[in-house]
Amino acid sequence: MSDHMTKATTLGVLDRKLLRNRNKIIRRQPTLAWYLFLLPTLIGIAVFMIYPLAESLRLSFTKGADEHYVGLENYASVLESGTFWYSVYNTLYITVFQLLIAIPVGFIIACLINNLRRGANFFKVLFYLPNVTSIVAAATVFLAVLHPDGPLNYVLQLLGFEKIVWLSQPLSAKWGAIILSVWHWLGFVIIINLANLQAISSDYYEAASIDGASRFRQWQYITLPNMLGSLTVLFIIGWIGGLQRFSDAYMLGGLQGSPARSLHTVVGFIFERGFGGNEYGLASAASYILFFFILVFTYINTKVTKMKI
């Protein structure tokens, strides 16, 4: 009897083990299938993202056609370069004014469109069209807009201002790039703000109206607090995109960022040294310094705006 019970107990344990193993295999099958589907994407990330990053890091420690190891010399050369710091200044100047103009103006236009009873879709399309246009095509159009006899000067003269030769002086050239970037990015800001505005419950406004709150008070105490999330996202996206600015400045100022390198951005510096001067080690070091800048600015922005990632 005792032997029989022992055999039954042993068989029971074996059955439970087999059952657990079978369940594990069943649970693993969908996971393996998911990894199989993800494999092409993972290979693409490894080949086109991870490998170039690793190769660029390796190149940043080398110099010359024979790629001999020079340690941190390229990083020191970049940080000691006056041209590099002037490109940082140009990038920050254009980006700061782009954000200061585009985000508030886009928010106000979005509020106006949101209150329209008719024609809202027309204005959405009208403002968003520049954003779907290639920045190269937009900059080409703006070369004509910024022409001394172009439409922008025509409007300024109608308002009583003097004609400006936009791309002949460093300051006016920077403002030409700022106007282009605001015009190109404004539609995106409006669409993001509109999406958030339409997500605010109408119950808030109805309750405030019953309590006798004016439209301005409703905008101040209901709309603004509920818009902080989208405004924060736009601010951070704008910073990251602004620090990576290249195409618009290159189209207006060329490889040298003319006039007087006023449109020479950080990415323009990397492009000029890498593809113009064949200094791939120096360009790679500048790329990693730019990456560090973006990392620091993003961290500061998330802390200042209290954004959770």
Side-chain angles (χ1 to χ4, degrees):
M1 184 66 181
S2 177
D3 292 342
H4 178 71
M5 288 182 66
T6 303
K7 287 178 180 177
T9 305
T10 306
L11 288 173
V13 171
L14 288 173
D15 287 342
R16 285 196 293 274
K17 284 184 177 177
L18 288 172
L19 186 63
R20 281 199 298 272
N21 290 334
R22 192 180 68 177
N23 289 335
K24 283 181 182 176
I25 292 170
I26 291 172
R27 282 198 297 272
R28 283 176 183 171
Q29 281 177 346
T31 308
L32 291 172
W34 280 116
Y35 279 118
L36 189 63
F37 280 112
L38 285 172
L39 191 60
T41 304
L42 294 173
I43 292 173
I45 291 171
V47 173
F48 296 108
M49 293 183 69
I50 296 175
Y51 171 72
L53 285 172
E55 180 65 10
S56 179
L57 182 64
R58 184 189 70 79
L59 281 174
S60 70
F61 298 113
T62 65
K63 196 171 186 178
D66 57 346
E67 299 180 1
H68 64 274
Y69 180 77
V70 293
L72 297 175
E73 185 181 321
N74 287 326
Y75 290 90
S77 298
V78 172
L79 294 174
E80 290 171 357
S81 168
T83 306
F84 172 76
W85 287 110
Y86 191 53
S87 71
V88 172
Y89 166 75
N90 292 334
T91 306
L92 292 178
Y93 188 97
I94 297 171
T95 303
V96 166
F97 282 103
Q98 177 195 352
L99 296 180
L100 287 178
I101 296 171
I103 293 179
V105 172
F107 173 56
I108 292 169
I109 294 174
C111 290
L112 294 173
I113 293 175
N114 193 45
N115 289 324
L116 288 178
R117 293 186 178 179
R118 291 182 180 177
N121 288 333
F122 169 75
F123 286 105
K124 287 178 194 174
V125 173
L126 182 68
F127 282 107
Y128 196 67
L129 269 179
N131 193 251
V132 298
T133 308
S134 163
I135 187 64
V136 175
T140 305
V141 171
F142 249 71
L143 286 172
V145 172
L146 297 173
H147 191 273
D149 296 322
L152 187 57
N153 271 340
Y154 177 74
V155 173
L156 288 176
Q157 286 176 314
L158 287 179
L159 295 172
F161 294 98
E162 293 183 1
K163 182 189 289 187
I164 300 172
V165 185
W166 290 94
L167 299 178
S168 66
Q169 299 296 324
L171 184 61
S172 59
K174 281 194 184 72
W175 275 97
I178 291 167
I179 293 170
L180 166 60
S181 59
V182 169
W183 175 76
H184 191 259
W185 196 48
L186 191 64
F188 179 76
V189 176
I190 292 171
I191 291 299
I192 295 296
N193 280 316
L194 268 173
N196 198 351
L197 284 168
Q198 291 168 3
I200 300 173
S201 173
S202 60
D203 294 344
Y204 297 149
Y205 296 101
E206 289 173 6
S209 298
I210 292 170
D211 291 339
S214 64
R215 295 292 296 271
F216 179 75
R217 292 290 183 191
Q218 291 178 29
W219 182 81
Q220 183 180 4
Y221 291 108
I222 298 174
T223 306
L224 273 181
N226 282 287
M227 292 299 296
L228 287 179
S230 62
L231 293 175
T232 301
V233 169
L234 287 169
F235 186 71
I236 292 174
I237 290 175
W239 262 119
I240 295 172
L243 292 173
Q244 295 174 325
R245 165 168 285 101
F246 172 68
S247 303
D248 50 351
Y250 180 81
M251 287 298 296
L252 295 181
L255 184 62
Q256 301 293 324
S258 302
R261 287 193 174 273
S262 58
L263 297 177
H264 196 52
T265 62
V266 178
V267 179
F269 176 87
I270 295 168
F271 183 84
E272 182 188 31
R273 293 304 178 94
F275 297 99
N278 293 327
E279 297 175 278
Y280 298 113
L282 198 76
S284 298
S287 300
Y288 270 90
I289 290 171
L290 174 63
F291 170 74
F292 178 74
F293 282 168
I294 292 174
L295 197 67
V296 170
F297 270 97
T298 305
Y299 177 77
I300 293 171
N301 287 331
T302 53
K303 289 298 176 185
V304 170
T305 56
K306 298 179 181 177
M307 183 182 180
K308 294 180 180 177
I309 298 178

